[in-house]
């Protein structure tokens, strides 16, 4: 799609996307004078997500003890950091910002169940709303709708599985 169309869909102006191009945003084809720059919106969104993740990593990166000018933390400093991290976690929990993982997982599971039920109800609702059409046509539409809904749910499940495969709950615990 054109750079202008992508800008509209992303809620940005064309100049912002041009600046992103200068920073490495993927493009499918660079237009010449008077020609449109083509972008793949999915690749642009993936690039933006990767940049956001990298920004967060940099923001919360721990100092590298091997870096020039840095020294390893003393035992006292490590203890103070652990106390500070513990206090931060306690403050977050007390303020209601942190929720135990099993609670979040259960809520997420219930949410996905509701989504699955709602999505799979679409074909039946379509058939009901098609009264007056021949039964054989309604049956074909129903089968197509079921396949489409099931494929959408499978794609969502694969996307979640991929995202969760990169998540290592033990990594944070090992860092502390």
């Amino acid at each position: 799609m054109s750079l202008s169309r992508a800008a509209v869909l992303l809620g940005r102006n064309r100049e912002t996307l041009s600046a992103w191009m200068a920073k490495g945003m993927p493009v499918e084809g660079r237009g010449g004078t008077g020609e449109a720059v083509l972008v793949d919106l999915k690749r642009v969104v993936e690039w933006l997500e990767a940049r956001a993740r990298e920004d967060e990593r940099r923001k919360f990166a721990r100092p590298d003890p091997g870096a020039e000018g840095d020294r390893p933390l003393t035992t006292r400093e490590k203890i103070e950091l652990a106390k500070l991290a513990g206090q931060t976690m306690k403050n977050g929990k007390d303020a209601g910002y942190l929720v135990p993982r099993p609670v979040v997982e259960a809520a997420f599971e219930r949410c996905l169940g509701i989504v699955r039920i709602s999505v799979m109800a679409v074909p039946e609702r379509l058939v009901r709303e098609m009264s007056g059409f021949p039964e054989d046509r309604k049956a074909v539409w129903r089968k197509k709708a079921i396949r489409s809904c099931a494929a959408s749910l499978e794609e969502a499940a694969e996307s979640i599985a991929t995202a969760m495969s990169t998540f290592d709950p033990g990594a944070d615990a090992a860092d502390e």
Side-chain angles (χ1 to χ4, degrees):
M1 78 176 53
S2 72
L3 191 65
S4 298
R5 179 70 179 144
V8 169
L9 292 174
L10 292 169
R12 304 281 193 225
N13 61 38
R14 193 175 190 289
E15 289 75 29
T16 299
L17 269 69
S18 294
W20 288 350
M21 281 175 43
K23 293 179 181 178
M25 180 185 82
V27 295
E28 296 299 308
R30 293 194 181 270
T33 305
E35 293 180 15
V37 174
L38 301 178
V39 297
D40 179 342
L41 192 59
K42 181 179 178 183
R43 288 185 57 214
V44 170
V45 170
E46 289 170 349
W47 178 79
L48 289 170
E49 289 172 345
R51 281 191 45 173
R53 282 192 301 274
E54 186 57 37
D55 288 347
E56 288 300 308
R57 279 191 201 103
R58 270 196 304 276
K59 191 186 309 181
F60 297 106
R62 296 178 185 200
D64 179 9
E68 187 176 321
D70 287 338
R71 61 173 176 73
L73 296 176
T74 65
T75 302
R76 180 177 293 269
E77 290 170 329
K78 289 179 183 178
I79 291 170
E80 286 301 315
L81 278 175
K83 285 180 183 176
L84 185 60
Q87 187 60 47
T88 302
M89 294 294 280
K90 182 184 180 315
N91 291 345
K93 186 176 180 183
D94 291 347
Y97 295 129
L98 298 177
V99 180
R101 182 180 173 138
V103 173
V104 174
E105 287 175 342
F108 189 63
E109 198 171 308
R110 283 194 301 273
C111 177
L112 290 178
I114 291 168
V115 168
R116 187 185 81 250
I117 290 168
S118 297
V119 168
M120 293 310 291
V122 169
E124 297 305 324
R125 191 172 62 232
L126 285 173
V127 169
R128 280 195 308 272
E129 291 175 2
M130 292 179 190
S131 62
F133 284 94
E135 290 300 318
D136 58 334
R137 284 184 68 189
K138 289 193 311 188
V140 169
W141 290 336
R142 180 180 177 277
K143 285 180 185 176
K144 284 182 181 178
I146 287 172
R147 279 196 304 270
S148 176
C149 291
S152 296
L153 289 171
E154 286 174 18
E155 183 179 343
E158 287 173 12
S159 178
I160 291 168
T162 300
M164 292 303 291
S165 70
T166 63
F167 175 71
D168 181 7
D172 291 335
D175 290 343
E176 293 173 7

